[in-house]
Amino acid sequence: MAEGLRERKKRETRQRISDIATGLFLEHGFMAVTIADVAEAADVSVNTVYNYFPTKEDLFLDRSKGVIDRLSRWVRARDVGESAAAAVLRELRDEVEAVSPRVGLMEGCERFMRVIHDSPPLRSRLWSIQQEVQENLEATLREETGAATDDPIPTLMAGQVNWVHQTVMGVIGREMVAGRNPDEVSREVLVLLDHMEELLSEKVLNYAVRGER
């Protein structure tokens, strides 16, 4: 369905506020910038900012929804004959090999990561997002396999698969903060992914294999 004028204007306003806020946070630090500062810089009211972003943390981590849904999307889109873990490993390898900004492999990422590192509220929100990723994945695995609500296996499998994702993102973030070249980090993380796959059990690697549609 084509985007209406009202929806487009709202999307553009939201993006403009987000971009201005990110610039302020990168320049001054997350703790030093207030919602009022963002509103003034964006030439909107404080209430308008809150209408789009319920908290200041949402302003900085405004793309967290895509991260929370990421593993579930990959699992739901897995190929016939492919397991949940195999799908996540494949998608992660593709992103890392492509030196994709979606996994933090980009010049300038160190500034973004340092803002998070220097801000306890952002670190707390990041931890919360990581928990949501796992809970979302667990729900997806339960749905995809038809597991009962009291079956512990989807919880355990989600933990194993999410371990791969969190480890990759953590290593990339650490190396980017250190000022490393994204291409070099990409090559190292691809090797790391091979090591992690070797550590996963056959039960994990063969869980939730998609059958013929």
Side-chain angles (χ1 to χ4, degrees):
M1 185 179 296
E3 183 181 39
L5 178 61
R6 179 181 176 82
E7 288 74 21
R8 179 172 62 81
K9 286 187 175 296
K10 288 176 66 175
R11 176 176 57 77
E12 290 174 347
T13 298
R14 185 185 190 283
Q15 188 61 55
R16 184 168 64 84
I17 293 171
S18 173
D19 290 345
I20 289 171
T22 298
L24 290 173
F25 293 143
L26 291 176
E27 183 177 356
H28 303 290
F30 183 78
M31 305 300 289
V33 177
T34 67
I35 293 292
D37 293 332
V38 174
E40 181 178 0
D43 195 25
V44 297
S45 70
V46 169
N47 284 340
T48 296
V49 177
Y50 278 121
N51 284 342
Y52 288 101
F53 303 95
T55 69
K56 193 167 79 163
E57 290 81 5
D58 293 322
L59 266 170
F60 192 75
L61 300 169
D62 64 316
R63 297 182 181 178
S64 61
K65 182 65 166 62
V67 174
I68 291 169
D69 292 343
R70 177 188 284 167
L71 299 189
S72 289
R73 288 198 313 272
W74 289 349
V75 168
R76 290 195 184 97
R78 68 196 185 283
D79 297 330
V80 172
E82 188 174 43
S83 70
V88 170
L89 285 163
R90 173 176 54 78
E91 293 281 2
L92 270 175
R93 281 194 178 96
D94 287 349
E95 295 282 7
V96 172
E97 189 171 13
V99 195
S100 171
R102 287 188 292 269
V103 290
L105 287 167
M106 60 182 178
E107 299 288 349
C109 182
E110 68 276 5
R111 294 181 64 204
F112 185 88
M113 296 304 299
R114 283 198 186 99
V115 172
I116 295 176
H117 182 269
D118 293 340
S119 168
L122 285 177
R123 293 202 304 272
S124 177
R125 173 58 67 87
L126 200 59
W127 180 88
S128 177
I129 288 171
Q130 291 168 351
Q131 295 304 113
E132 289 184 68
V133 170
Q134 179 155 330
E135 291 168 4
N136 202 2
L137 177 59
E138 177 189 341
T140 297
L141 291 175
R142 213 170 278 284
E143 179 183 339
E144 290 286 307
T145 61
T149 54
D150 60 350
D151 185 347
I153 297 301
T155 304
L156 299 174
M157 293 297 178
Q160 292 285 296
V161 174
N162 192 40
W163 162 72
V164 174
H165 179 254
Q166 283 196 25
T167 300
V168 166
M169 298 303 292
V171 168
I172 290 174
R174 183 185 69 220
E175 297 304 317
M176 289 296 96
V177 168
R180 296 283 310 284
N181 179 279
D183 292 318
E184 292 179 357
V185 175
S186 169
R187 290 192 291 271
E188 292 174 7
V189 172
L190 287 173
V191 174
L192 181 67
L193 275 164
D194 289 340
H195 290 322
M196 285 192 286
E197 183 171 2
E198 290 173 359
L199 291 173
L200 294 174
S201 71
E202 287 301 312
K203 188 169 185 178
V204 174
L205 291 171
N206 291 296
Y207 180 74
V209 174
R210 165 149 284 156
E212 296 288 343
R213 298 176 186 273

